Amino acid sequence: MASGNGSPVTDVVVVGAGFAGLYMLHRLRRLGFSAIGIESADDVGGTWYWNRYPGARCDIPTTDYAYAFDPELEAEWTWSEKYATQPEILAYLQHVAERYDLRRDIRFSTRVVAATWDEAAGSWRVTTDPGGEISCRYLVMASGCLSVPKTVDIEGADRFRGDVYFTSSWPHEGVDFSGQRVAVIGTGSSGIQSIPLIAEQAANLVVFQRTPNFSMPAHNGPAEADRLARLATDRDTYREEARWSRAGVPMEMAVETLAQLPEEERRARFDAALENGHLLSLFSKFPDILVNREANEVISEMIRERIRSIVDDPETAETLCPQDHPYGTKRPCLDTNYYATFNQPHVRLVDLRREPITTITETGIDTAGESFEFDSIVFATGFDAMTGAIVSVDIRGRDGVTLKDKWADGPSTYLGLTTVGFPNLFTITGPGSPSVLSNMTVSIEQHVEWVTDRLVHLREQGFDTIEPTETAEAGWDQHVQDCGDITLYPLANSWYMGANVPGKPRTFLPYVGGVDAYRAACDEVVAQGLLGFALSGPGGTQCNDGVVCRLQPDVALVLQTLADLALPPIESMAADEARQFVNTLNEARPPGPDVGEVVDGVLPGADGDLEYRLYRPASPGPHPVLVYFHGGGWVLGAHDSDDPLCRDLCDRSDTLIVSVNYRHAPEHCFPAPVDDGFAAVRWVAAHAVELGGIPGQLAVGGWSAGANIAAVVSQLARDAGGPEIAGQILITPVTDCDLTRGSYTENADGYVLTAPLMEWFWNHYADPADRTDPKASPLRAADLSGLPPALVVTCEFDPLRDEGIAYAEALSAAGVATRQLTARGHIHTSLTMVDVVLSGAETRAAIADALRQFLGVTVAA
Ligand SMILES: Cc1cc2nc3c(=O)[nH]c(=O)nc-3n(C[C@H](O)[C@H](O)[C@H](O)COP(=O)(O)OP(=O)(O)OC[C@H]3O[C@@H](n4cnc5c(N)ncnc54)[C@H](O)[C@@H]3O)c2cc1C
């Protein structure tokens, strides 16, 4: 059906009638849009219509896994269990459909097979099976993340003459396995939920397992009293907390890393998580287990110990213990009696890694070592997750490009909701949004509300076409990847990575930055006038190009935490007070990696003794030496104040580091700190052997004002004819007293080192007349030739960025071998935040590489 004059028949076509499609239809209707829903099933429910296997339940508590948009709907529905069964959730969705009279707008038993963007009409032509065409202005794919079952790729799968079942499309009338020989293939969530119940009926059950999964007890029972009480007394706050939580469920998050907890406390927290039976418990009690491999292994091993303690047969227990992925990097499961099921004499586990299936036969399954006979085979083999349902529709956007082709190397989206070249197309819980990493009802509501609010905006402003810009999409893709890269998720062959489907590109599909951060990003896009979207229509055109979320995710988190603390600005303090303040903040830092030895000592400065701290690598010496100057604007800090960074560099570069406590302003102004720096380098060069260093293999380096000292010392050493310096490592250096460069304006405030703070530092350090002296502003040196090779590291959101780049360019122009590296999405302080800003590790590795190169350190294979 299409209108005669080419104008759309309906405002919106919504594909799918699960949680997402139903709410979308309801909200569109309430906002005055016409809409048609299309659903391949013969009724509503989506996931909960199809997945009727025994034991199918949600694994987010039903108090949370439900719509929250209508308090009246909430008030009239009571969940009977903590984790409701599939029939109960389906009944709930049927109730929702009836309550809001949604079925009348849905075409059931109808599949959307194609959708083509009609450029001239500015609308989508949607083709359905059975035949028909609908023209619509906007197309919403509410087609589900786990709605396209993975095709079975086992030889002989169609030969079996017994009964075949798929957990993802279970017969409505149920299945009675009594007295049968049953095979279950697959041990993901559906397998783990169904196996104990199938075992109760079957005469014989053989479970074929390729990858064991981590599962914890669900402790199902009545809905949790504490959550019910909170909902009864203050529902709105509870729901708002869910919307702004990490995963869509209100939950207290611990702050301590696992390493900070004594053994008994780790055990106590693990036991408490085990006791309350929540999918998210372990993540909330051990907040670093998805980013720290060692921490994760501690928890993984505790779960394995539990499996071994339940399963009687040691070999079966070992086969059930996941060893190939860190806990949480594949969706963990909640179960009821799963592991104990394998103690029953009629239940057997076959490890497909040792004994792969060679073929399915007419009567059973042949593995490499055995032939099995079965009456029924159950496939619990999972889904083509997140992209499957979207690309299985032949969606053609501008210039006839198909979405499948555009996403051939992995999906590319803006906010997980829209994609360039496909105007007016929205993907609910699409790739690049929190989606399957969250309580999906919360994410679905947020997406539906965001999309419908935008449609209202378009209508009000006289626009009828919306499409993201290339810049915005590339920026979002990068952000999604940045978030994934600091986690352990990429280490697993999971469906989050597309790894379960042969030929599917391997990319991390969901957004792992958190429901809260994601919601903030979507809100920010709106607050900035639909940043990253191009709009057009009778009302004209509008394009506010740009990128949302340019900071590295962990840097953004640090800034948010600091903002929440509302700390006083350092420049409002006296120098001593500021030192005390920074020392206190530093005490809370993770210490950085272990090194071979840390020794404190004293060396002669330009005018009296100076303390130093020596970091010796764990490898046998002697080692090349880096003389290091700490940051702190010539006012703050000491030889031990960059401890984590020095340990990290020592560990990564196998270099002995001597960190010097030069004299500080305002007590000792310019040029005292640089004179001390030069004196220290001369002394270390002369005493290299006693320190455990290799004579002649000496570099200088530093961070911030310390990098300023390192740069100046390199010039002084050149002019004095020694000592020989093999290289200079300048991390976000101060190189000039001009505070008017672009980076000062762009990053004046909000990124820890502010323009006013930098002014405060200069005011303490040097009289205005002295500041242009090359010993204060090394960029102003008349001659930069003949200096040691340099690595200059700058950070994107740093007032000092441009002077760092200027110094690198000036060094290069003077013939000095120079490499300049800009840390994308980082701020002045973030590279020093070892084990806090994990995304800085890559740059610190590059610094260590450069250092090794300067010093000729070979890396042990
Ligand atoms: C067994 C199981 C348990 C789960 N438990 C939880 C849980 O506890 N917590 C949680 O947050 N999430 C859970 N999920 C994820 C679950 O998919 C979502 O929570 C939610 O139900 C998704 O709703 P939806 O409307 O987006 O998609 P779906 O419910 O998948 O609905 C999509 C609908 O679109 C239809 N469709 C797709 N393509 C087409 C097409 N081309 N034409 C016509 N119709 C089409 C499908 O038939 C389907 O009915 C679970 C998933 C499974 C499989």
PDB file of all heavy atoms in Angstrom, residues 15-16 18-20 39-40 46-48 50 53 58-60 65 110-112 142-144 147 393 438 440 444, ligand 1:
ATOM      1  N   VAL A  15       9.316  -1.668  13.442  1.00  0.00           N
ATOM      2  CA  VAL A  15       9.521  -3.101  13.193  1.00  0.00           C
ATOM      3  C   VAL A  15       9.744  -3.800  14.527  1.00  0.00           C
ATOM      4  O   VAL A  15      10.733  -3.534  15.217  1.00  0.00           O
ATOM      5  CB  VAL A  15      10.727  -3.335  12.261  1.00  0.00           C
ATOM      6  CG1 VAL A  15      10.834  -4.828  11.902  1.00  0.00           C
ATOM      7  CG2 VAL A  15      10.635  -2.484  11.018  1.00  0.00           C
ATOM      8  N   GLY A  16       8.821  -4.690  14.904  1.00  0.00           N
ATOM      9  CA  GLY A  16       8.972  -5.451  16.141  1.00  0.00           C
ATOM     10  C   GLY A  16       7.944  -5.033  17.175  1.00  0.00           C
ATOM     11  O   GLY A  16       7.594  -3.847  17.296  1.00  0.00           O
ATOM     12  N   GLY A  18       8.099  -6.201  20.634  1.00  0.00           N
ATOM     13  CA  GLY A  18       8.567  -6.579  21.964  1.00  0.00           C
ATOM     14  C   GLY A  18       8.495  -5.354  22.868  1.00  0.00           C
ATOM     15  O   GLY A  18       7.744  -4.398  22.597  1.00  0.00           O
ATOM     16  N   PHE A  19       9.293  -5.371  23.927  1.00  0.00           N
ATOM     17  CA  PHE A  19       9.327  -4.230  24.847  1.00  0.00           C
ATOM     18  C   PHE A  19       9.489  -2.905  24.086  1.00  0.00           C
ATOM     19  O   PHE A  19       8.830  -1.915  24.381  1.00  0.00           O
ATOM     20  CB  PHE A  19      10.496  -4.378  25.828  1.00  0.00           C
ATOM     21  CG  PHE A  19      10.135  -5.047  27.128  1.00  0.00           C
ATOM     22  CD1 PHE A  19      10.470  -6.382  27.360  1.00  0.00           C
ATOM     23  CD2 PHE A  19       9.477  -4.353  28.123  1.00  0.00           C
ATOM     24  CE1 PHE A  19      10.147  -6.999  28.566  1.00  0.00           C
ATOM     25  CE2 PHE A  19       9.151  -4.964  29.340  1.00  0.00           C
ATOM     26  CZ  PHE A  19       9.488  -6.289  29.554  1.00  0.00           C
ATOM     27  N   ALA A  20      10.401  -2.900  23.096  1.00  0.00           N
ATOM     28  CA  ALA A  20      10.732  -1.647  22.414  1.00  0.00           C
ATOM     29  C   ALA A  20       9.610  -1.198  21.495  1.00  0.00           C
ATOM     30  O   ALA A  20       9.161  -0.041  21.544  1.00  0.00           O
ATOM     31  CB  ALA A  20      12.029  -1.819  21.630  1.00  0.00           C
ATOM     32  N   GLU A  39       5.196  -7.116  12.869  1.00  0.00           N
ATOM     33  CA  GLU A  39       5.777  -8.153  13.734  1.00  0.00           C
ATOM     34  C   GLU A  39       5.642  -9.511  13.047  1.00  0.00           C
ATOM     35  O   GLU A  39       4.550  -9.881  12.627  1.00  0.00           O
ATOM     36  CB  GLU A  39       5.055  -8.133  15.099  1.00  0.00           C
ATOM     37  CG  GLU A  39       5.346  -9.295  16.004  1.00  0.00           C
ATOM     38  CD  GLU A  39       6.828  -9.487  16.333  1.00  0.00           C
ATOM     39  OE1 GLU A  39       7.427  -8.588  16.938  1.00  0.00           O
ATOM     40  OE2 GLU A  39       7.390 -10.547  15.954  1.00  0.00           O
ATOM     41  N   SER A  40       6.741 -10.227  13.000  1.00  0.00           N
ATOM     42  CA  SER A  40       6.683 -11.524  12.314  1.00  0.00           C
ATOM     43  C   SER A  40       5.957 -12.581  13.136  1.00  0.00           C
ATOM     44  O   SER A  40       5.421 -13.541  12.588  1.00  0.00           O
ATOM     45  CB  SER A  40       8.087 -11.991  11.936  1.00  0.00           C
ATOM     46  OG  SER A  40       8.876 -12.107  13.095  1.00  0.00           O
ATOM     47  N   GLY A  46       7.871 -10.270  21.601  1.00  0.00           N
ATOM     48  CA  GLY A  46       9.284 -10.326  21.193  1.00  0.00           C
ATOM     49  C   GLY A  46       9.999 -11.504  21.818  1.00  0.00           C
ATOM     50  O   GLY A  46       9.547 -12.648  21.742  1.00  0.00           O
ATOM     51  N   THR A  47      11.110 -11.223  22.491  1.00  0.00           N
ATOM     52  CA  THR A  47      11.902 -12.244  23.182  1.00  0.00           C
ATOM     53  C   THR A  47      11.012 -13.205  23.958  1.00  0.00           C
ATOM     54  O   THR A  47      11.214 -14.418  23.949  1.00  0.00           O
ATOM     55  CB  THR A  47      12.855 -11.549  24.183  1.00  0.00           C
ATOM     56  OG1 THR A  47      13.861 -10.875  23.438  1.00  0.00           O
ATOM     57  CG2 THR A  47      13.504 -12.533  25.137  1.00  0.00           C
ATOM     58  N   TRP A  48      10.018 -12.638  24.627  1.00  0.00           N
ATOM     59  CA  TRP A  48       9.207 -13.426  25.561  1.00  0.00           C
ATOM     60  C   TRP A  48       8.069 -14.151  24.859  1.00  0.00           C
ATOM     61  O   TRP A  48       7.377 -14.968  25.455  1.00  0.00           O
ATOM     62  CB  TRP A  48       8.732 -12.537  26.715  1.00  0.00           C
ATOM     63  CG  TRP A  48       9.954 -11.902  27.326  1.00  0.00           C
ATOM     64  CD1 TRP A  48      10.390 -10.627  27.142  1.00  0.00           C
ATOM     65  CD2 TRP A  48      10.953 -12.565  28.111  1.00  0.00           C
ATOM     66  NE1 TRP A  48      11.598 -10.436  27.781  1.00  0.00           N
ATOM     67  CE2 TRP A  48      11.965 -11.614  28.385  1.00  0.00           C
ATOM     68  CE3 TRP A  48      11.093 -13.866  28.614  1.00  0.00           C
ATOM     69  CZ2 TRP A  48      13.095 -11.912  29.140  1.00  0.00           C
ATOM     70  CZ3 TRP A  48      12.225 -14.168  29.367  1.00  0.00           C
ATOM     71  CH2 TRP A  48      13.215 -13.189  29.615  1.00  0.00           C
ATOM     72  N   TRP A  50       8.965 -15.686  21.829  1.00  0.00           N
ATOM     73  CA  TRP A  50       9.698 -16.756  21.146  1.00  0.00           C
ATOM     74  C   TRP A  50      10.359 -17.747  22.103  1.00  0.00           C
ATOM     75  O   TRP A  50      10.346 -18.948  21.860  1.00  0.00           O
ATOM     76  CB  TRP A  50      10.797 -16.151  20.258  1.00  0.00           C
ATOM     77  CG  TRP A  50      10.286 -15.322  19.121  1.00  0.00           C
ATOM     78  CD1 TRP A  50      10.326 -13.971  18.997  1.00  0.00           C
ATOM     79  CD2 TRP A  50       9.656 -15.806  17.922  1.00  0.00           C
ATOM     80  NE1 TRP A  50       9.774 -13.562  17.813  1.00  0.00           N
ATOM     81  CE2 TRP A  50       9.350 -14.679  17.126  1.00  0.00           C
ATOM     82  CE3 TRP A  50       9.314 -17.073  17.442  1.00  0.00           C
ATOM     83  CZ2 TRP A  50       8.727 -14.783  15.880  1.00  0.00           C
ATOM     84  CZ3 TRP A  50       8.698 -17.179  16.201  1.00  0.00           C
ATOM     85  CH2 TRP A  50       8.409 -16.048  15.440  1.00  0.00           C
ATOM     86  N   TYR A  53      11.273 -21.912  26.234  1.00  0.00           N
ATOM     87  CA  TYR A  53      11.905 -23.149  26.711  1.00  0.00           C
ATOM     88  C   TYR A  53      11.736 -23.292  28.225  1.00  0.00           C
ATOM     89  O   TYR A  53      11.526 -22.297  28.940  1.00  0.00           O
ATOM     90  CB  TYR A  53      13.400 -23.155  26.329  1.00  0.00           C
ATOM     91  CG  TYR A  53      14.195 -21.999  26.868  1.00  0.00           C
ATOM     92  CD1 TYR A  53      14.725 -22.024  28.160  1.00  0.00           C
ATOM     93  CD2 TYR A  53      14.421 -20.859  26.097  1.00  0.00           C
ATOM     94  CE1 TYR A  53      15.448 -20.952  28.656  1.00  0.00           C
ATOM     95  CE2 TYR A  53      15.147 -19.790  26.587  1.00  0.00           C
ATOM     96  CZ  TYR A  53      15.656 -19.837  27.871  1.00  0.00           C
ATOM     97  OH  TYR A  53      16.364 -18.775  28.376  1.00  0.00           O
ATOM     98  N   CYS A  58      13.802 -13.989  33.178  1.00  0.00           N
ATOM     99  CA  CYS A  58      14.721 -12.858  33.091  1.00  0.00           C
ATOM    100  C   CYS A  58      15.832 -13.072  34.126  1.00  0.00           C
ATOM    101  O   CYS A  58      15.683 -13.863  35.063  1.00  0.00           O
ATOM    102  CB  CYS A  58      13.996 -11.544  33.356  1.00  0.00           C
ATOM    103  SG  CYS A  58      13.122 -11.508  34.910  1.00  0.00           S
ATOM    104  N   ASP A  59      16.956 -12.363  33.940  1.00  0.00           N
ATOM    105  CA  ASP A  59      18.024 -12.453  34.932  1.00  0.00           C
ATOM    106  C   ASP A  59      18.360 -11.089  35.537  1.00  0.00           C
ATOM    107  O   ASP A  59      19.375 -10.906  36.182  1.00  0.00           O
ATOM    108  CB  ASP A  59      19.262 -13.167  34.378  1.00  0.00           C
ATOM    109  CG  ASP A  59      19.752 -12.547  33.093  1.00  0.00           C
ATOM    110  OD1 ASP A  59      19.345 -11.411  32.794  1.00  0.00           O
ATOM    111  OD2 ASP A  59      20.555 -13.191  32.393  1.00  0.00           O
ATOM    112  N   ILE A  60      17.498 -10.137  35.269  1.00  0.00           N
ATOM    113  CA  ILE A  60      17.487  -8.855  35.999  1.00  0.00           C
ATOM    114  C   ILE A  60      16.211  -8.925  36.846  1.00  0.00           C
ATOM    115  O   ILE A  60      15.168  -9.343  36.327  1.00  0.00           O
ATOM    116  CB  ILE A  60      17.395  -7.671  35.007  1.00  0.00           C
ATOM    117  CG1 ILE A  60      18.646  -7.585  34.119  1.00  0.00           C
ATOM    118  CG2 ILE A  60      17.124  -6.355  35.719  1.00  0.00           C
ATOM    119  CD1 ILE A  60      19.883  -7.068  34.789  1.00  0.00           C
ATOM    120  N   TYR A  65      13.122  -5.084  35.733  1.00  0.00           N
ATOM    121  CA  TYR A  65      12.972  -5.452  34.331  1.00  0.00           C
ATOM    122  C   TYR A  65      11.511  -5.280  33.928  1.00  0.00           C
ATOM    123  O   TYR A  65      10.768  -6.242  33.737  1.00  0.00           O
ATOM    124  CB  TYR A  65      13.439  -6.897  34.120  1.00  0.00           C
ATOM    125  CG  TYR A  65      13.453  -7.315  32.662  1.00  0.00           C
ATOM    126  CD1 TYR A  65      14.323  -6.720  31.755  1.00  0.00           C
ATOM    127  CD2 TYR A  65      12.585  -8.291  32.197  1.00  0.00           C
ATOM    128  CE1 TYR A  65      14.324  -7.095  30.418  1.00  0.00           C
ATOM    129  CE2 TYR A  65      12.587  -8.679  30.860  1.00  0.00           C
ATOM    130  CZ  TYR A  65      13.452  -8.067  29.986  1.00  0.00           C
ATOM    131  OH  TYR A  65      13.454  -8.440  28.654  1.00  0.00           O
ATOM    132  N   THR A 110       3.755 -10.860   9.935  1.00  0.00           N
ATOM    133  CA  THR A 110       4.238 -10.105   8.779  1.00  0.00           C
ATOM    134  C   THR A 110       5.700  -9.750   9.013  1.00  0.00           C
ATOM    135  O   THR A 110       6.058  -9.310  10.105  1.00  0.00           O
ATOM    136  CB  THR A 110       3.425  -8.791   8.607  1.00  0.00           C
ATOM    137  OG1 THR A 110       2.048  -9.132   8.542  1.00  0.00           O
ATOM    138  CG2 THR A 110       3.842  -8.035   7.362  1.00  0.00           C
ATOM    139  N   ARG A 111       6.518  -9.972   8.021  1.00  0.00           N
ATOM    140  CA  ARG A 111       7.948  -9.712   8.173  1.00  0.00           C
ATOM    141  C   ARG A 111       8.352  -8.554   7.272  1.00  0.00           C
ATOM    142  O   ARG A 111       7.927  -8.489   6.113  1.00  0.00           O
ATOM    143  CB  ARG A 111       8.719 -10.982   7.789  1.00  0.00           C
ATOM    144  CG  ARG A 111      10.223 -10.822   7.694  1.00  0.00           C
ATOM    145  CD  ARG A 111      10.911 -12.152   7.637  1.00  0.00           C
ATOM    146  NE  ARG A 111      10.814 -12.840   8.915  1.00  0.00           N
ATOM    147  CZ  ARG A 111      11.586 -12.578   9.981  1.00  0.00           C
ATOM    148  NH1 ARG A 111      12.520 -11.646   9.896  1.00  0.00           N
ATOM    149  NH2 ARG A 111      11.430 -13.226  11.099  1.00  0.00           N
ATOM    150  N   VAL A 112       9.139  -7.645   7.808  1.00  0.00           N
ATOM    151  CA  VAL A 112       9.708  -6.598   6.959  1.00  0.00           C
ATOM    152  C   VAL A 112      10.926  -7.198   6.269  1.00  0.00           C
ATOM    153  O   VAL A 112      11.844  -7.681   6.940  1.00  0.00           O
ATOM    154  CB  VAL A 112      10.117  -5.366   7.790  1.00  0.00           C
ATOM    155  CG1 VAL A 112      10.915  -4.380   6.937  1.00  0.00           C
ATOM    156  CG2 VAL A 112       8.897  -4.701   8.373  1.00  0.00           C
ATOM    157  N   ALA A 142      12.837  -1.704  15.876  1.00  0.00           N
ATOM    158  CA  ALA A 142      12.721  -2.173  17.268  1.00  0.00           C
ATOM    159  C   ALA A 142      12.733  -3.695  17.200  1.00  0.00           C
ATOM    160  O   ALA A 142      11.933  -4.380  17.807  1.00  0.00           O
ATOM    161  CB  ALA A 142      11.438  -1.657  17.895  1.00  0.00           C
ATOM    162  N   SER A 143      13.691  -4.175  16.400  1.00  0.00           N
ATOM    163  CA  SER A 143      13.658  -5.575  15.967  1.00  0.00           C
ATOM    164  C   SER A 143      14.435  -6.499  16.887  1.00  0.00           C
ATOM    165  O   SER A 143      14.547  -7.692  16.612  1.00  0.00           O
ATOM    166  CB  SER A 143      14.177  -5.664  14.526  1.00  0.00           C
ATOM    167  OG  SER A 143      15.361  -4.911  14.384  1.00  0.00           O
ATOM    168  N   GLY A 144      14.989  -5.946  17.972  1.00  0.00           N
ATOM    169  CA  GLY A 144      15.597  -6.812  18.992  1.00  0.00           C
ATOM    170  C   GLY A 144      17.074  -7.089  18.755  1.00  0.00           C
ATOM    171  O   GLY A 144      17.540  -7.139  17.620  1.00  0.00           O
ATOM    172  N   SER A 147      17.167 -11.556  18.629  1.00  0.00           N
ATOM    173  CA  SER A 147      15.927 -12.046  18.024  1.00  0.00           C
ATOM    174  C   SER A 147      16.183 -12.871  16.772  1.00  0.00           C
ATOM    175  O   SER A 147      15.254 -13.444  16.223  1.00  0.00           O
ATOM    176  CB  SER A 147      15.007 -10.863  17.699  1.00  0.00           C
ATOM    177  OG  SER A 147      15.668  -9.952  16.862  1.00  0.00           O
ATOM    178  N   VAL A 393      17.221  -7.337   7.200  1.00  0.00           N
ATOM    179  CA  VAL A 393      16.306  -6.577   6.334  1.00  0.00           C
ATOM    180  C   VAL A 393      17.179  -5.867   5.288  1.00  0.00           C
ATOM    181  O   VAL A 393      18.233  -5.326   5.627  1.00  0.00           O
ATOM    182  CB  VAL A 393      15.507  -5.542   7.161  1.00  0.00           C
ATOM    183  CG1 VAL A 393      14.642  -4.678   6.253  1.00  0.00           C
ATOM    184  CG2 VAL A 393      14.664  -6.238   8.216  1.00  0.00           C
ATOM    185  N   SER A 438      23.098  -3.739  29.571  1.00  0.00           N
ATOM    186  CA  SER A 438      22.310  -3.033  30.588  1.00  0.00           C
ATOM    187  C   SER A 438      21.006  -3.769  30.841  1.00  0.00           C
ATOM    188  O   SER A 438      20.682  -4.736  30.146  1.00  0.00           O
ATOM    189  CB  SER A 438      21.983  -1.623  30.082  1.00  0.00           C
ATOM    190  OG  SER A 438      21.146  -1.680  28.943  1.00  0.00           O
ATOM    191  N   MET A 440      17.748  -3.956  29.906  1.00  0.00           N
ATOM    192  CA  MET A 440      17.322  -3.432  28.609  1.00  0.00           C
ATOM    193  C   MET A 440      16.035  -2.627  28.657  1.00  0.00           C
ATOM    194  O   MET A 440      15.798  -1.793  27.782  1.00  0.00           O
ATOM    195  CB  MET A 440      17.221  -4.567  27.602  1.00  0.00           C
ATOM    196  CG  MET A 440      18.616  -5.050  27.242  1.00  0.00           C
ATOM    197  SD  MET A 440      18.690  -6.045  25.771  1.00  0.00           S
ATOM    198  CE  MET A 440      18.269  -4.869  24.513  1.00  0.00           C
ATOM    199  N   ILE A 444      15.751   0.687  26.649  1.00  0.00           N
ATOM    200  CA  ILE A 444      14.694   0.811  25.635  1.00  0.00           C
ATOM    201  C   ILE A 444      13.879   2.085  25.884  1.00  0.00           C
ATOM    202  O   ILE A 444      13.621   2.866  24.969  1.00  0.00           O
ATOM    203  CB  ILE A 444      13.792  -0.450  25.651  1.00  0.00           C
ATOM    204  CG1 ILE A 444      14.525  -1.621  24.979  1.00  0.00           C
ATOM    205  CG2 ILE A 444      12.455  -0.182  24.976  1.00  0.00           C
ATOM    206  CD1 ILE A 444      13.852  -2.972  25.147  1.00  0.00           C
TER     207      ILE A 444
HETATM  208  C1  LIG B   1      16.113 -15.825  26.942  1.00  0.00           C
HETATM  209  C2  LIG B   1      16.389 -14.368  27.085  1.00  0.00           C
HETATM  210  C3  LIG B   1      16.371 -13.791  28.335  1.00  0.00           C
HETATM  211  C4  LIG B   1      16.610 -12.441  28.467  1.00  0.00           C
HETATM  212  N1  LIG B   1      16.628 -11.881  29.714  1.00  0.00           N
HETATM  213  C5  LIG B   1      16.866 -10.571  29.852  1.00  0.00           C
HETATM  214  C6  LIG B   1      16.901  -9.956  31.137  1.00  0.00           C
HETATM  215  O1  LIG B   1      16.719 -10.580  32.150  1.00  0.00           O
HETATM  216  N2  LIG B   1      17.187  -8.646  31.216  1.00  0.00           N
HETATM  217  C7  LIG B   1      17.420  -7.904  30.106  1.00  0.00           C
HETATM  218  O2  LIG B   1      17.664  -6.709  30.234  1.00  0.00           O
HETATM  219  N3  LIG B   1      17.364  -8.445  28.874  1.00  0.00           N
HETATM  220  C8  LIG B   1      17.107  -9.748  28.723  1.00  0.00           C
HETATM  221  N4  LIG B   1      17.080 -10.296  27.473  1.00  0.00           N
HETATM  222  C9  LIG B   1      17.235  -9.428  26.306  1.00  0.00           C
HETATM  223  C10 LIG B   1      15.856  -9.118  25.690  1.00  0.00           C
HETATM  224  O3  LIG B   1      15.969  -9.393  24.343  1.00  0.00           O
HETATM  225  C11 LIG B   1      15.467  -7.687  25.957  1.00  0.00           C
HETATM  226  O4  LIG B   1      15.408  -7.462  27.333  1.00  0.00           O
HETATM  227  C12 LIG B   1      14.121  -7.230  25.410  1.00  0.00           C
HETATM  228  O5  LIG B   1      13.136  -8.205  25.539  1.00  0.00           O
HETATM  229  C13 LIG B   1      14.254  -6.778  24.001  1.00  0.00           C
HETATM  230  O6  LIG B   1      13.071  -6.190  23.572  1.00  0.00           O
HETATM  231  P1  LIG B   1      12.979  -5.623  22.083  1.00  0.00           P
HETATM  232  O7  LIG B   1      11.604  -5.176  21.889  1.00  0.00           O
HETATM  233  O8  LIG B   1      14.050  -4.665  21.849  1.00  0.00           O
HETATM  234  O9  LIG B   1      13.334  -6.869  21.154  1.00  0.00           O
HETATM  235  P2  LIG B   1      12.629  -8.278  21.057  1.00  0.00           P
HETATM  236  O10 LIG B   1      11.921  -8.607  22.288  1.00  0.00           O
HETATM  237  O11 LIG B   1      13.635  -9.196  20.546  1.00  0.00           O
HETATM  238  O12 LIG B   1      11.518  -8.027  19.954  1.00  0.00           O
HETATM  239  C14 LIG B   1      11.850  -7.826  18.616  1.00  0.00           C
HETATM  240  C15 LIG B   1      10.716  -8.326  17.766  1.00  0.00           C
HETATM  241  O13 LIG B   1      10.963  -7.914  16.432  1.00  0.00           O
HETATM  242  C16 LIG B   1      10.502  -8.911  15.568  1.00  0.00           C
HETATM  243  N5  LIG B   1      11.226  -8.752  14.318  1.00  0.00           N
HETATM  244  C17 LIG B   1      12.560  -8.757  14.124  1.00  0.00           C
HETATM  245  N6  LIG B   1      12.834  -8.559  12.835  1.00  0.00           N
HETATM  246  C18 LIG B   1      11.652  -8.427  12.200  1.00  0.00           C
HETATM  247  C19 LIG B   1      11.302  -8.186  10.860  1.00  0.00           C
HETATM  248  N7  LIG B   1      12.218  -8.040   9.905  1.00  0.00           N
HETATM  249  N8  LIG B   1       9.996  -8.093  10.552  1.00  0.00           N
HETATM  250  C20 LIG B   1       9.050  -8.229  11.523  1.00  0.00           C
HETATM  251  N9  LIG B   1       9.323  -8.458  12.798  1.00  0.00           N
HETATM  252  C21 LIG B   1      10.619  -8.543  13.135  1.00  0.00           C
HETATM  253  C22 LIG B   1      10.830 -10.195  16.279  1.00  0.00           C
HETATM  254  O14 LIG B   1       9.962 -11.232  15.866  1.00  0.00           O
HETATM  255  C23 LIG B   1      10.604  -9.824  17.724  1.00  0.00           C
HETATM  256  O15 LIG B   1       9.329 -10.220  18.139  1.00  0.00           O
HETATM  257  C24 LIG B   1      16.859 -11.657  27.313  1.00  0.00           C
HETATM  258  C25 LIG B   1      16.901 -12.254  26.061  1.00  0.00           C
HETATM  259  C26 LIG B   1      16.669 -13.609  25.938  1.00  0.00           C
HETATM  260  C27 LIG B   1      16.726 -14.208  24.580  1.00  0.00           C
END
